[in-house]
Amino acid sequence: MSDILKISNEDIIYHLKISCQIPSLLEAIATRKVITETAEKAGITVETAELQQSADSLRLANRLIKAEETWEWLQKHYLSLDNFEEIAHLNILSTKLAHHLFAEKVEPFFYAHQLNYSAAVTYEVILDDEDLALEIFYALQEGEISFQEIARQYIQNPEIRRAGGYQGIRKRSDFRPEIASLVFAANPPQILKPVITPKGVHIIIVEEIIEPELNEQMRVQILGDLFTNWLKDQVNKLKIVATLGASLNFSSSPAEILSKAS
């Protein structure tokens, strides 16, 4: 067998098809078209300096410091310099379109959904036995045992065990609803009475409640969320018709599919 494997355009499309990647690919193409067409209608343009900054950010994101590294990356991804510029152009265009559509809506959205952006610092141990969980809960309240001791004894995951059950900073949406309501009603530092979920019996310490602040990071997050949701809605409204070539288009009848599948 030769060391050179030649792959055609049809091979690539066929692989995308049999690996069930066509729908996500079409959605990505439709998203790009929605961005470019909407930006054009809104009269949004990209200045040379903005394009250069976007290209620099693209190189930085992919750790392309030297010219040789950029060239190798382009070859790996079968991209030309013009393609690279197109990517940078789409990135900055997306950013400017997001600001055009939603910059003025970020603040009212934040205050209308402020509770969703609250966060909590928690420690957690999950047990299988409710009676044991209650026993441990009361022992914790009386100071007869520390949470670190419980974590060392009952947490299987080594990293979480070493961290004493630390769950990090988590938003309200990161918790199950029945747990979120208790966590965000707590008066930290507080040990919550065991909570039963399908995963088991949770013993949780709420160390801190972090009230949301509309800083620059939060603005970027909300702007991105609003823009992403808008894009999904726009794409969902479209009827996407793809031409993949006569031999690759869907042509089987339901009866034929059932016959081949049985």
Side-chain angles (χ1 to χ4, degrees):
M1 180 178 177
S2 171
D3 291 337
I4 298 176
L5 176 62
K6 294 184 178 181
I7 298 176
S8 66
N9 289 342
E10 189 172 90
D11 289 331
I12 294 171
I13 296 175
Y14 184 72
H15 176 77
L16 289 171
K17 186 174 183 181
I18 64 173
S19 58
C20 303
Q21 296 182 60
I22 291 292
S24 58
L25 179 64
L26 295 180
E27 183 178 335
I29 294 171
T31 298
R32 177 169 55 82
K33 289 183 176 293
V34 166
I35 291 171
T36 55
E37 291 178 7
T38 307
E40 184 179 358
K41 290 178 182 177
I44 297 172
T45 58
V46 175
E47 302 297 330
T48 302
E50 293 173 326
L51 183 59
Q52 182 60 54
Q53 185 178 1
S54 180
D56 291 342
S57 298
L58 183 57
R59 278 191 288 268
L60 184 61
N62 290 281
R63 300 179 181 178
L64 307 175
I65 308 303
K66 300 178 181 178
E68 294 81 2
E69 294 171 337
T70 302
W71 179 247
E72 289 174 2
W73 186 85
L74 291 173
Q75 286 186 309
K76 177 183 176 180
H77 294 281
Y78 291 83
L79 296 169
S80 66
L81 286 173
D82 286 342
N83 295 147
F84 186 85
E85 186 174 304
E86 287 171 11
I87 297 171
H89 185 274
L90 181 63
N91 287 347
I92 189 62
L93 198 66
S94 299
T95 300
K96 295 186 74 170
L97 179 60
H99 277 271
H100 173 77
L101 293 174
F102 299 109
E104 299 300 321
K105 299 180 181 180
V106 168
E107 188 167 331
F109 184 89
F110 170 77
Y111 288 111
H113 301 85
Q114 195 166 353
L115 287 178
N116 295 336
Y117 294 99
S118 298
V121 178
T122 60
Y123 292 77
E124 180 181 69
V125 172
I126 304 176
L127 304 173
D128 296 326
D129 189 320
E130 183 180 2
D131 291 334
L132 175 60
L134 282 169
E135 181 182 331
I136 290 173
F137 168 70
Y138 291 121
L140 282 168
Q141 283 194 319
E142 295 298 324
E144 297 172 0
I145 191 172
S146 71
F147 200 85
Q148 286 71 24
E149 291 176 280
I150 299 169
R152 285 196 296 268
Q153 187 172 352
Y154 294 103
I155 294 178
Q156 300 299 317
N157 184 294
E159 292 185 7
I160 299 178
R161 182 173 64 244
R162 294 188 193 107
Y166 179 62
Q167 300 296 303
I169 299 174
R170 304 168 70 191
K171 294 189 299 184
R172 180 180 290 266
S173 59
D174 295 327
F175 294 93
R176 295 182 62 89
E178 63 267 39
I179 292 179
S181 60
L182 296 172
V183 166
F184 288 95
N187 185 22
Q190 181 179 339
I191 307 167
L192 300 183
K193 192 170 183 179
V195 185
I196 301 174
T197 75
K199 291 182 67 176
V201 188
H202 303 247
I203 301 178
I204 299 171
I205 289 183
V206 183
E207 182 178 83
E208 183 183 0
I209 300 295
I210 302 173
E211 298 299 336
E213 179 185 350
L214 190 57
N215 52 27
E216 187 58 29
Q217 182 180 356
M218 182 65 71
R219 286 182 181 276
V220 170
Q221 178 187 336
I222 294 174
L223 187 67
D225 290 343
L226 291 173
F227 187 54
T228 298
N229 291 334
W230 175 81
L231 280 174
K232 288 180 179 177
D233 288 340
Q234 297 305 305
V235 171
N236 288 337
K237 293 175 184 178
L238 299 174
K239 180 181 179 181
I240 302 174
V241 180
T243 303
L244 303 178
S247 61
L248 298 174
N249 283 323
F250 186 80
S251 59
S252 299
S253 67
E256 287 174 321
I257 293 173
L258 290 174
S259 175
K260 291 177 182 179
S262 61

